[in-house]
Amino acid sequence: DIILMDINLGKEIDGIMATKEIRKMKGYKDTPIVAMTAYVREGDKEEFLAGGCTHYLGKPFTVKQLLDLVEGIRQ
């Protein structure tokens, strides 16, 4: 299983807040969560990984980049 998490969810909750809630749920402690975001400035990746995401994919990305990431996670 893999969760693809958009960081900018809109109003009351963001992807990091959602990730932290998911991590509290039984069975999701070790589920890979990929931060998918247009936030690509220096330090953004580290912030999302520190927030509970296990992987990071900056937008825009190609289908190949996404598939390569998923394949790497599955191995």
Side-chain angles (χ1 to χ4, degrees):
D1 296 338
I2 298 170
I3 297 171
L4 303 177
M5 179 63 68
D6 191 348
I7 296 301
N8 186 5
L9 298 176
K11 295 187 179 185
E12 298 177 21
I13 188 168
D14 64 24
I16 295 303
M17 293 166 65
T19 295
K20 289 178 180 179
E21 290 301 312
I22 290 168
R23 291 286 180 224
K24 294 176 187 176
M25 298 169 67
K26 183 178 179 177
Y28 288 93
K29 180 182 174 195
D30 298 319
T31 300
I33 299 179
V34 180
M36 302 178 71
T37 181
Y39 296 111
V40 294
R41 290 191 171 157
E42 187 174 324
D44 287 340
K45 176 180 178 178
E46 293 76 15
E47 177 184 348
F48 304 137
L49 296 178
C53 294
T54 56
H55 299 78
Y56 170 90
L57 189 58
K59 296 177 185 178
F61 55 85
T62 65
V63 171
K64 182 178 181 346
Q65 288 171 311
L66 176 59
L67 293 175
D68 287 349
L69 177 65
V70 170
E71 186 61 32
I73 292 170
R74 291 178 54 198
Q75 292 181 0

